[in-house]
Amino acid sequence: MEEDNVLDFTDSEIVSHVKNALTSVLSGDNNSYDQLVGVMHHSKHLAPDEVALLETTLKALAGAVSSIDIIHHDSLLSAIFSMRMWNYGLHVADALTELIVSLAISNGKYLDLCLRMLVSNFTPPPYFLDKLKLPRGLERKDQVLSRVHSAFKKIADYVPLAPLRLLTVVLQGMPTIYHKDRAVVIYMENMLKLESGEIGELVGSTMLMAVVDRLIELDVEIGWDAILQDDFSKGIFEMELEDVDDIEENDEPDVGEFRLSRKSLAGNSIAELLDNLLVLTFEHLESCEREGRLAKVFETLLQSFQITVLTAYKSKFAQFVIFYACALDPENCGKRFATLLVELFVQYSQPQPTRMSAVAYLASYLSRAKFLSPSFICSMLERLVDWCLEYCETHDGDINPNAHRVFYSGCQAILYVLCFRIKAFVNVLCLKLLLMPLEQVLKHKLNPLKVCLPSVVEEFLRQAKAASLFTVSETFIFDGLLESELSRAFGGLERLDAFFPFDPCLLKRSDSFIRPMFVFWSMVKPTYDDADDDDDDDEGSSDDELVEDHQNENEDMMNGIDMDEFDCQLQKMSITPKNTSSHKFGGRYQEQARMPSRIRPSTSPESL
């Protein structure tokens, strides 16, 4: 009979009862108040009547927030703010959300406490993590997080400063890289949800930049010794190849690239976490592209890139976020990124390491991005060649790697890109326009062919010779060296001479996103392989497609130009240094070894 009387109480009567319990504390009567606090502590294995009592009490408290005092009712507030929506059904979760919103907008003293309580619900309790593998667990996650983010919006509508306070709370509450993988991923998922949500205009850019910062933090935790298994006497391109005999028969069916290095990351918890976070970010960028927001988000990524990524010389994987964004919108984002890198490189006001890092990114990007048009790649190379030629015209000294670091980095960038793209440019106007000023650069007293990485120079000269572009001495010996004393000198402590930031991604899940848009060395057909491939006409390659595209793009440009005169000038070109023993990059004279047929990814050395 008593239960029936309780059920007959009106909402206003229940609110009045709760208010009396709250005010009775001021007169020293704590009985009703203690019962109220006790109800808040009910969380597990609740009977139906206990659930109903908790829901009713929470709703009554939402109507009585004006009677709550932060000092006298600290135990009640502590109990409320420690509640987790994950532990309750939907009705209780709704009542709890209503109470938190009411508290936040009633008094500024409660704002941060309420925001922290909501942010604490970004991640589930430890016991719930395994349930996220099941459909019901994922459904529950969506139910909780939708209520959390709805509460943010309601609070922001009434408290204009709430989004700024939320930024601080979210950033302070970010789990460390050593938390459980799924907890970190879910927290970052909520940060990206804030970026794309209703208050994204106010907090979005900061959330996205914080996510990129965390990616970098994880990235640099992965030491090069966890990746490198190569002998550094090998060349950059040779290091991207792998002997098929080293691949076990039970390996997953995948392109035979960099398996050994990928295996070296197996079991690395930091690498696995970074892989999962990169995939989460890639999927977020895809949603931005579908919603037509990618161009705006990309501006934030560019800002983050310049502040965080560009100067993180040990970064191995985080930079693929901006690579993937460019791939989703090549015409706008793709070109914008390359243009930014060129501008950073040619600006004398920028610090030398920044300029060298920018041109290293540019070279790797132009070489690896399958989605860039040949004409655009050529236009970027023209800017680099023009800058290097202008530099030569104003500097008349001899070789000095330390004094001319930026110049040598620009020259190496040009050679590196041509190693990947020269086949696409042969016999088209772009290459003919590039080669004449490039010859003057390479023949200058600063002699970049003696300072740049021997492996890059060697590969470039082999292809140039096979394509009959330059006259190359047979005694220009490299001995297959990756680096030289001169290249190390211009690379500096950061070893920017050996920095190729868009080498193949070794993280398995992330690679599945990048691979369709990526040029692997095994896809490149060097000019010296033409004779071997005469019988392989059935299948096209990426190089063949580039050649056809570039010929179409330049058809109009070639009209009215005397190509015979061009060819006559090109035949006179030679970049061969004087044939002296001082021009060797190392060791005794020996016959140049042919490039191997399978590749493993090149990487920067641990000395970074």
Side-chain angles (χ1 to χ4, degrees), residues 24 102 145 185 237 245 415 419 508 516 545 553 555 607:
S24 65
S102 298
L145 297 185
V185 172
F237 305 94
D245 295 335
L415 302 183
C419 288
K508 185 175 181 180
E545 295 170 0
E553 291 173 357
E555 188 174 307
S607 57

CSV table of all heavy atoms in Angstrom, one decimal, residues 24 102 145 185 237 245 415 419 508 516 545 553 555 607:
chain,number,residue,atom,x,y,z
A,24,SER,N,17.5,20.8,4.5
A,24,SER,CA,17.6,20.3,5.9
A,24,SER,C,19.0,20.2,6.4
A,24,SER,O,19.3,20.2,7.6
A,24,SER,CB,16.8,18.9,6.0
A,24,SER,OG,17.5,17.9,5.3
A,102,SER,N,21.4,20.8,-16.5
A,102,SER,CA,20.8,21.8,-15.6
A,102,SER,C,21.8,22.4,-14.7
A,102,SER,O,21.8,23.6,-14.4
A,102,SER,CB,19.6,21.1,-14.8
A,102,SER,OG,18.6,20.7,-15.7
A,145,LEU,N,27.4,7.9,-26.4
A,145,LEU,CA,28.1,9.1,-27.0
A,145,LEU,C,27.2,10.1,-27.6
A,145,LEU,O,27.4,11.3,-27.6
A,145,LEU,CB,29.1,8.6,-28.0
A,145,LEU,CG,30.3,7.7,-27.4
A,145,LEU,CD1,31.3,7.3,-28.5
A,145,LEU,CD2,30.9,8.4,-26.2
A,185,VAL,N,41.6,5.0,-28.7
A,185,VAL,CA,40.9,5.2,-30.0
A,185,VAL,C,39.5,5.8,-29.8
A,185,VAL,O,39.1,6.7,-30.6
A,185,VAL,CB,40.8,3.8,-30.7
A,185,VAL,CG1,39.9,3.9,-32.0
A,185,VAL,CG2,42.2,3.3,-31.1
A,237,PHE,N,67.0,3.0,-53.4
A,237,PHE,CA,66.1,2.2,-54.2
A,237,PHE,C,66.2,0.8,-54.0
A,237,PHE,O,65.2,0.0,-53.9
A,237,PHE,CB,66.2,2.6,-55.7
A,237,PHE,CG,66.1,4.0,-56.0
A,237,PHE,CD1,67.3,4.8,-56.0
A,237,PHE,CD2,64.9,4.6,-56.1
A,237,PHE,CE1,67.2,6.2,-56.2
A,237,PHE,CE2,64.8,6.0,-56.3
A,237,PHE,CZ,65.9,6.8,-56.4
A,245,ASP,N,62.5,-14.9,-52.0
A,245,ASP,CA,62.8,-16.1,-51.2
A,245,ASP,C,62.7,-15.9,-49.7
A,245,ASP,O,62.6,-16.9,-49.0
A,245,ASP,CB,64.2,-16.6,-51.6
A,245,ASP,CG,64.4,-17.0,-53.0
A,245,ASP,OD1,63.3,-17.4,-53.6
A,245,ASP,OD2,65.5,-17.0,-53.6
A,415,LEU,N,66.6,15.3,-58.6
A,415,LEU,CA,67.1,14.0,-59.1
A,415,LEU,C,66.2,12.9,-58.6
A,415,LEU,O,65.9,12.0,-59.4
A,415,LEU,CB,68.5,13.8,-58.7
A,415,LEU,CG,69.5,14.9,-59.1
A,415,LEU,CD1,70.9,14.5,-58.6
A,415,LEU,CD2,69.5,15.1,-60.6
A,419,CYS,N,64.0,10.2,-60.9
A,419,CYS,CA,64.2,8.7,-60.8
A,419,CYS,C,62.9,8.0,-60.9
A,419,CYS,O,62.8,6.9,-61.5
A,419,CYS,CB,64.9,8.4,-59.5
A,419,CYS,SG,66.7,8.8,-59.4
A,508,LYS,N,50.0,-1.9,-41.4
A,508,LYS,CA,49.2,-2.8,-42.3
A,508,LYS,C,47.8,-2.1,-42.6
A,508,LYS,O,47.4,-2.0,-43.8
A,508,LYS,CB,49.0,-4.1,-41.7
A,508,LYS,CG,48.2,-5.1,-42.6
A,508,LYS,CD,48.2,-6.5,-42.0
A,508,LYS,CE,47.5,-7.5,-42.9
A,508,LYS,NZ,47.4,-8.8,-42.3
A,516,PRO,N,46.3,2.2,-52.8
A,516,PRO,CA,45.7,2.5,-54.2
A,516,PRO,C,46.2,3.8,-54.8
A,516,PRO,O,46.0,4.0,-56.0
A,516,PRO,CB,44.2,2.5,-53.9
A,516,PRO,CG,44.0,1.7,-52.6
A,516,PRO,CD,45.2,2.0,-51.8
A,545,GLU,N,50.9,5.0,-68.3
A,545,GLU,CA,49.7,5.9,-68.2
A,545,GLU,C,50.2,7.3,-68.1
A,545,GLU,O,49.6,8.2,-68.7
A,545,GLU,CB,48.9,5.5,-67.0
A,545,GLU,CG,48.2,4.1,-67.1
A,545,GLU,CD,47.6,3.6,-65.8
A,545,GLU,OE1,47.7,4.4,-64.8
A,545,GLU,OE2,47.1,2.5,-65.7
A,553,GLU,N,48.5,16.2,-72.5
A,553,GLU,CA,48.5,17.6,-71.9
A,553,GLU,C,49.4,18.5,-72.6
A,553,GLU,O,49.2,19.7,-72.6
A,553,GLU,CB,49.0,17.4,-70.4
A,553,GLU,CG,48.0,16.7,-69.5
A,553,GLU,CD,48.5,16.5,-68.1
A,553,GLU,OE1,49.7,16.8,-67.9
A,553,GLU,OE2,47.8,15.9,-67.3
A,555,GLU,N,50.3,18.5,-75.9
A,555,GLU,CA,50.1,18.6,-77.3
A,555,GLU,C,50.0,20.0,-77.8
A,555,GLU,O,50.6,20.4,-78.8
A,555,GLU,CB,48.8,17.8,-77.7
A,555,GLU,CG,48.7,17.6,-79.2
A,555,GLU,CD,47.5,16.6,-79.5
A,555,GLU,OE1,47.4,15.5,-78.9
A,555,GLU,OE2,46.6,17.0,-80.3
A,607,SER,N,70.4,7.9,-36.8
A,607,SER,CA,71.1,9.1,-36.4
A,607,SER,C,70.2,10.4,-36.4
A,607,SER,O,70.6,11.4,-36.0
A,607,SER,CB,72.3,9.4,-37.3
A,607,SER,OG,71.9,9.5,-38.7
